[in-house]
Amino acid sequence: MTTNQAQAPPTDRSFRVVRRLAMGGFGVVYQAEMFGPHGFRQMVVIKVARSDLAEHQQEAEHRLRDEARILGRLHHPNIVSTFGLVQLEVGWAVMLEWVEGDSVEALLKSGRCPPRAALELIGEVADALTHAHEQTEAGVALGFIHRDVKPSNI
């Protein structure tokens, strides 16, 4: 995948997909390596609208743009950072921070999550969800709600 210069601000970024991480109802998530000028390289996550849902393409892209807009407002150690929206050859994509490690789903399946660690993890997730829900604009709580909290998303 490469950026589409006509739709995005001028950039020298390009991407190499490393592997597909997940596929959801409207999006596909990839681990990718981002390349920039002067040898810059960074591992990122790219979430794109599913191309096989042509009849729902506009809705999928709208959801991606909303997700990027919301994530861009949230700054918390337990919430993945976003690098914003990028127009790729395959359509709009949200570029996210790559976080090394297993998902909670993988930990649960492997049996490597002792009860004390699980309780700490639940507390950290609750803290992040509270932060998102209490995010304010001009002193008014926006009430963001994560509608897909599950072990594979943590």
Side-chain angles (χ1 to χ4, degrees):
M1 292 189 279
T2 59
T3 58
N4 179 336
Q5 300 299 321
Q7 297 293 322
T11 180
D12 293 333
R13 292 181 295 186
S14 63
F15 303 91
R16 180 184 62 83
V17 172
V18 174
R19 65 186 168 124
R20 187 175 89 177
L21 298 171
M23 181 170 9
F26 283 91
V28 184
V29 181
Y30 298 95
Q31 177 186 7
E33 191 169 17
M34 179 174 65
F35 300 92
H38 308 291
F40 176 83
R41 294 169 57 166
Q42 180 178 4
M43 203 58 72
V44 296
V45 171
I46 298 176
K47 184 174 184 179
V48 298
R50 285 181 48 180
S51 60
D52 61 330
L53 301 175
E55 67 275 7
H56 300 288
Q57 191 70 28
Q58 284 185 320
E59 182 181 356
E61 288 188 357
H62 179 76
R63 285 183 179 205
L64 281 174
R65 289 190 301 268
D66 280 351
E67 181 176 346
R69 181 181 51 81
I70 291 167
L71 281 172
R73 296 182 55 87
L74 301 177
H75 303 285
H76 188 275
N78 300 327
I79 299 175
V80 69
S81 296
T82 182
F83 304 131
L85 282 169
V86 62
Q87 177 74 39
L88 303 175
E89 292 170 358
V90 296
W92 284 103
V94 180
M95 231 183 2
L96 303 164
E97 167 189 21
W98 166 253
V99 178
E100 189 70 41
D102 290 330
S103 68
V104 171
E105 179 180 50
L107 291 174
L108 292 173
K109 285 181 179 178
S110 72
R112 296 185 324 229
C113 193
R116 182 180 199 115
L119 289 173
E120 288 180 27
L121 185 65
I122 290 168
E124 296 295 329
V125 171
D127 188 49
L129 293 170
T130 299
H131 174 79
H133 188 70
E134 293 176 349
Q135 182 68 36
T136 62
E137 183 173 88
V140 177
L142 298 174
F144 294 139
I145 298 173
H146 192 303
R147 296 183 182 170
D148 197 19
V149 178
K150 58 187 178 189
S152 61
N153 285 345
I154 301 171

